[in-house]
Amino acid sequence: MPGKRNLKLKKFYFHPITIFFIGILIIMILSLILSAFQMQSTYNVVNSSGTDMVSKLAVVENLFAFDNLKYLISNAVKNFMGFAPLSMLLVSLLGLSIANATGFIDIISTRYIKKLSKNQLTFLILFLGIISSIINEVGYAILIPLSAMIYEKEGRNPLLGIVTAFCGVAFGYGVAMFVGSQEINLIPYTTSAARLIDTNAHISLTSNLYFIITCSILIPIIGTPIIEKIVSPRLPKYRRYDKITGKTLQTSELLLSDIQEAEQNKIAYEKHSKKGVRYAFITGIVVILLFIYMIIPGLPGSGLLLDMNEKIYINQLFGPNSYFQDGFTYMVTALLIITGIAYGIGAKTIKNDKDLVEKLEDSFKNIGMILLSIFVFSQFLAFWRVSNIGTVLTGWTASILSNLQLDGIVLLIITTLLIAILGLFSANMQAKWMILSPVIVPMFMQNNISAQYSQIVMRIGQTITCGVTPFMAFYIIYLCYLNSYNQNKEKPIGLRKSIKFVLPYFLIMIAVWILIIVLWYIARLPIGPGVKAII
């Protein structure tokens, strides 16, 4: 109609901090409703002797109840200070910031990474993300910020570096190039569950080795074109400011100011950087050899990073009380600090300790928002954990699986998908396998599928949805870095958009992982030394 105005509703873009505050409220209301309906589940776990099963009851807790509110309020600081992503990120940032401030990351990028093509760099980041799961979630804390730095220095979109690193770690978490912490976490439950059928069952540490080595190489090969051709074009454009022209240009464009500055400093840069690289290389080798010596048992003063209370070496290295595993993030940080300072001294990019500290200020100027985001997120997960909803859902999933009358390929697919769906609400793989293994392992063995292959199905089901659930503790690091490099502060990147970035990778990888599991089963290939999928 003439004169009629078209009214448009203004869109609201909630900051992730606000989203998680709302999430806490939703969890509390949901816990109230579910507890009022007495939502609960019963599940079985293998007893300590490993010969029988014990029934457990999980009940949804009302978070408005007096005792639960008292616990959540009194433990807020403890939940924050004990939140693993917080300590790991702060420690890794220290090393990365020093290496960046001294110019060490710049020289590595210029001399070595610059020689890689886009596809080669993407493959490398995905591959490093996958094998980082050898030591739990260290890849999130180190690889995500490092990738953002490298991509920005390469003139590429740092958001793409963040997404690539996150996809590598999250959607490849089920496999790694070598035996690591996942075997230590899963094998005890797999063995106990297998002995319900076969009292002599033994699950070796290398029982999944062939499978994980193959997938560690195959997944980055498949993932690289997905990232470059599908994910990359969907990301927001990242622009850099040209000091000479006063224009903002896309990262894919060459900047006049960058070229001029590079030409002016090229001679001095080449002269000092070679010496700096030499210093960094020598000190880096010494530090790495020292760390290696610390994980070799039986030598004078060696074994410092091993848990000598364990009898088996792999348990000493990756066990729950392993000093190597607990201190790995600090070890990487120490390596970055020492090599970074060595480079700075050799290349004369730092004059003294005051100069270094001043250069570090820029790296930590946005740390306040990251700390606040992590604080709220840690409370969000604490509320979810205390509500016990995830445990109840896991018990229900175990009950569904126990009533399945399936076999062969259909059993493999349905089990994998159910574990993946459960992973959206319960991200702790070890806790889930404790409940699911007494159901899945015997059921697989009775259908002539090995217990070792059931463990692979668990790992794949876990990794399929690991990157699209906010209930995964390290998701907050991904979200924080997306917003740190987000140039449109009026439109912060929330859950919906952060998941949208990885959605194509997620959807394709569902099909890829299912296909791998099925083809491996059909081909009857060995999954480890002397171990096959089919009994």
Side-chain angles (χ1 to χ4, degrees):
M1 292 178 62
K4 185 176 180 180
R5 289 187 176 182
N6 292 324
L7 298 177
K8 291 184 179 180
L9 294 175
K10 185 179 180 180
K11 289 185 178 180
F12 289 94
Y13 295 88
F14 289 114
H15 193 278
I17 293 175
T18 308
I19 292 172
F20 289 119
F21 267 124
I22 296 171
I24 289 172
L25 182 60
I26 292 173
I27 291 171
M28 294 186 71
I29 295 172
L30 188 61
S31 73
L32 175 64
I33 296 171
L34 294 180
S35 63
F37 284 96
Q38 298 182 340
M39 292 296 180
Q40 60 186 30
S41 65
T42 303
Y43 59 89
N44 296 317
V45 295
V46 181
N47 61 13
S48 56
S49 62
T51 57
D52 204 356
M53 290 195 290
V54 178
S55 181
K56 299 267 187 182
L57 177 66
V59 181
V60 174
E61 294 283 343
N62 176 14
L63 296 184
F64 287 99
F66 180 79
D67 287 342
N68 288 331
L69 280 175
K70 182 169 67 174
Y71 173 83
L72 289 166
I73 293 171
S74 62
N75 284 273
V77 174
K78 188 182 294 184
N79 291 331
F80 175 57
M81 299 303 294
F83 194 53
L86 171 66
S87 55
M88 290 177 68
L89 181 61
L90 289 178
V91 170
S92 65
L93 273 181
L94 180 61
L96 288 169
S97 298
I98 289 178
N100 188 46
T102 60
F104 184 55
I105 292 180
D106 279 319
I107 194 65
I108 294 297
S109 177
T110 303
R111 287 203 173 180
Y112 305 105
I113 298 177
K114 197 77 173 178
K115 298 177 182 178
L116 300 176
S117 66
K118 289 183 177 181
N119 287 338
Q120 288 172 335
L121 179 57
T122 299
F123 175 86
L124 178 63
I125 298 297
L126 290 174
F127 178 71
L128 291 175
I130 289 173
I131 65 172
S132 70
S133 62
I134 295 173
I135 306 177
N136 292 329
E137 291 85 5
V138 67
Y140 294 106
I142 296 175
L143 194 60
I144 287 177
L146 178 60
S147 298
M149 287 181 184
I150 290 173
Y151 273 63
E152 188 172 38
K153 293 180 188 302
E154 290 294 299
R156 300 190 68 188
N157 191 341
L159 294 175
L160 180 61
I162 294 167
V163 171
T164 303
F166 181 73
C167 286
V169 181
F171 296 111
Y173 189 75
V175 296
M177 181 61 74
F178 308 106
V179 172
S181 57
Q182 291 193 41
E183 276 69 27
I184 302 300
N185 293 334
L186 297 181
I187 283 177
Y189 299 113
T190 309
T191 303
S192 298
R195 287 177 180 172
L196 296 172
I197 302 296
D198 179 4
T199 55
N200 297 317
H202 172 70
I203 312 297
S204 69
L205 287 165
T206 58
S207 60
N208 295 165
L209 189 61
Y210 296 163
F211 184 90
I212 61 179
I213 289 176
T214 303
C215 291
S216 295
I217 299 170
L218 183 62
I219 294 303
I221 293 174
I222 297 172
T224 296
I226 300 174
I227 293 291
E228 290 296 332
K229 302 296 184 183
I230 304 176
V231 174
S232 179
R234 294 167 179 258
L235 296 178
K237 299 299 181 183
Y238 190 83
R239 301 177 183 277
R240 295 170 63 187
Y241 180 71
D242 188 345
K243 298 175 184 177
I244 301 295
T245 64
K247 297 179 180 179
T248 51
L249 303 173
Q250 296 182 18
T251 53
S252 59
E253 299 177 27
L254 293 174
L255 303 181
L256 176 61
S257 59
D258 288 345
I259 297 172
Q260 290 177 338
E261 186 177 357
E263 288 295 331
Q264 293 170 1
N265 298 314
K266 187 176 181 180
I267 298 176
Y269 176 80
E270 288 293 331
K271 177 182 177 182
H272 296 301
S273 64
K274 289 180 180 179
K275 187 176 181 181
V277 169
R278 188 164 61 250
Y279 279 25
F281 179 78
I282 293 171
T283 54
I285 292 296
V286 172
V287 172
I288 291 172
L289 290 176
L290 183 61
F291 285 149
I292 292 174
Y293 191 81
M294 290 179 183
I295 60 174
I296 299 176
L299 298 178
S302 69
L304 181 66
L305 297 175
L306 300 177
D307 178 12
M308 301 311 294
N309 293 321
E310 296 284 352
K311 296 180 180 179
I312 303 174
Y313 178 72
I314 197 70
N315 290 342
Q316 294 175 351
L317 196 62
F318 293 110
N321 299 312
S322 162
Y323 301 99
F324 173 76
Q325 181 168 273
D326 292 342
F328 188 79
T329 305
Y330 177 75
M331 291 162 61
V332 174
T333 297
L335 178 64
L336 288 169
I337 291 173
I338 294 170
T339 53
I341 292 176
Y343 173 80
I345 293 172
K348 297 182 178 180
T349 56
I350 52 173
K351 301 174 183 177
N352 49 47
D353 60 326
K354 294 177 183 177
D355 183 41
L356 179 60
V357 172
E358 287 177 3
K359 289 183 177 182
L360 288 177
E361 287 182 6
D362 286 340
S363 300
F364 287 92
K365 65 181 179 181
N366 294 323
I367 195 68
M369 188 56 65
I370 292 177
L371 290 177
L372 181 57
S373 299
I374 292 178
F375 173 77
V376 176
F377 186 73
S378 67
Q379 306 311 310
F380 169 78
L381 288 189
F383 275 68
W384 178 253
R385 184 181 67 252
V386 174
S387 74
N388 219 26
I389 296 174
T391 305
V392 171
L393 290 174
T394 305
W396 286 350
T397 305
S399 178
I400 293 171
L401 286 168
S402 65
N403 292 312
L404 290 178
Q405 300 295 322
L406 304 171
D407 57 16
I409 294 174
V410 178
L411 176 62
L412 287 172
I413 295 174
I414 297 299
T415 302
T416 304
L417 292 177
L418 282 175
I419 294 172
I421 294 170
L422 176 61
L424 292 171
F425 308 99
S426 178
N428 189 317
M429 181 163 62
Q430 187 175 357
K432 282 189 296 189
W433 194 229
M434 178 184 69
I435 297 173
L436 296 178
S437 60
V439 174
I440 295 176
V441 175
M443 179 172 60
F444 274 38
M445 293 176 71
Q446 289 168 350
N447 283 278
N448 298 321
I449 303 174
S450 67
Q452 293 88 339
Y453 204 60
S454 70
Q455 186 171 278
I456 284 178
V457 169
M458 174 63 209
R459 296 166 77 144
I460 301 310
Q462 169 75 12
T463 200
I464 283 176
T465 50
C466 196
V468 290
T469 172
F471 295 108
M472 193 269 291
F474 286 83
Y475 195 91
I476 189 62
I477 295 180
Y478 167 59
L479 200 54
C480 282
Y481 269 89
L482 285 177
N483 281 285
S484 292
Y485 285 88
N486 175 31
Q487 294 180 320
N488 190 350
K489 300 304 179 183
E490 295 296 320
K491 297 180 180 179
I493 298 173
L495 283 178
R496 184 186 64 82
K497 192 175 288 187
S498 65
I499 292 174
K500 183 180 178 181
F501 291 161
V502 301
L503 195 59
Y505 196 93
F506 160 67
L507 293 174
I508 295 173
M509 278 301 158
I510 292 177
V512 169
W513 279 123
I514 294 295
L515 187 62
I516 289 174
I517 289 176
V518 170
L519 291 178
W520 211 288
Y521 172 84
I522 293 174
R524 297 175 180 264
L525 296 172
I527 57 176
V531 181
K532 291 186 177 182
I534 309 299
I535 301 176

